[in-house]
Amino acid sequence: MKKTYLILSLVLSLTVWAPLSAQSFLMPDYVQQPDSQHIVLIVLSEKWADVREISGEVVKYNLRLYPEMELVSTRVSLPFLSNLPVLYVHYFSNKAEAMEYYHRLYKEKPDFMQMNIVESVWVFSKGNLNTLLLEESIKRYILFFQKHYLTPG
């Protein structure tokens, strides 16, 4: 009887604590790094986007409006975000530069930001992008982004 109780206790403790411990102890937390280099990820809509054409439009936009920054736009595969390649725009010197770019995209709405071609745009510090790549999920980052990037203050 004691043996059965011990095994049952062990199974219950693993099912209750394992999901919590896996996320809490294996994945690093997202941290504020306002002075570190930042990256902008542009996730394209799978319904509308011609990846090569949109990628070219982003390069033209960057050259026209940010020639002094020498931004590089690359297509990367992040299947946990999209089945299409994601546009990786780098490097911004800090959070403020990246957020200025982010807000300008939504305010000015260049052609590639219209007609639901872009599904979402995210700003990451290099360190937080590494955490995202390890985690392979945007879920935890969404709350962090809303709190530390979109909330004034």
Side-chain angles (χ1 to χ4, degrees):
M1 183 70 166
K2 284 185 179 181
K3 195 176 196 180
T4 305
Y5 177 73
L6 179 63
I7 292 171
L8 184 58
S9 298
L10 182 60
V11 169
L12 284 175
S13 67
L14 286 176
T15 58
V16 170
W17 290 104
L20 177 63
S21 62
Q23 185 173 3
S24 301
F25 298 112
L26 297 179
M27 289 299 157
D29 284 334
Y30 292 107
V31 294
Q32 292 191 66
Q33 300 170 318
D35 298 325
S36 70
Q37 287 185 329
H38 275 63
I39 293 104
V40 171
L41 293 183
I42 301 173
V43 181
L44 304 176
S45 168
E46 295 178 25
K47 296 177 186 172
W48 294 97
D50 176 343
V51 177
R52 278 195 235 178
E53 183 179 340
I54 303 307
S55 183
E57 291 300 316
V58 170
V59 169
K60 289 178 198 173
Y61 175 82
N62 292 343
L63 288 172
R64 191 175 76 249
L65 296 175
Y66 300 94
E68 72 289 349
M69 292 177 74
E70 298 180 8
L71 295 172
V72 176
S73 177
T74 331
R75 293 178 291 213
V76 295
S77 177
L78 299 174
F80 58 91
L81 283 180
S82 175
N83 291 325
L84 294 177
V86 173
L87 303 182
Y88 175 95
V89 181
H90 59 103
Y91 286 110
F92 297 90
S93 297
N94 53 43
K95 174 184 172 181
E97 276 186 6
M99 287 307 293
E100 188 275 328
Y101 182 90
Y102 173 92
H103 289 298
R104 193 171 188 178
L105 281 178
Y106 281 102
K107 181 180 178 191
E108 294 184 359
K109 294 199 181 286
D111 289 345
F112 64 88
M113 290 292 291
Q114 297 180 31
M115 297 172 28
N116 298 321
I117 292 171
V118 171
E119 187 175 298
S120 58
V121 179
W122 302 98
V123 176
F124 289 89
S125 66
K126 284 174 71 175
N128 286 336
L129 182 62
N130 287 335
T131 300
L132 176 82
L133 296 175
L134 285 171
E135 194 166 320
E136 294 186 347
S137 172
I138 193 80
K139 289 178 185 174
R140 277 194 327 125
Y141 188 74
I142 291 171
L143 297 172
F144 179 86
F145 183 72
Q146 290 171 338
K147 181 177 179 182
H148 296 288
Y149 284 81
L150 298 181
T151 303

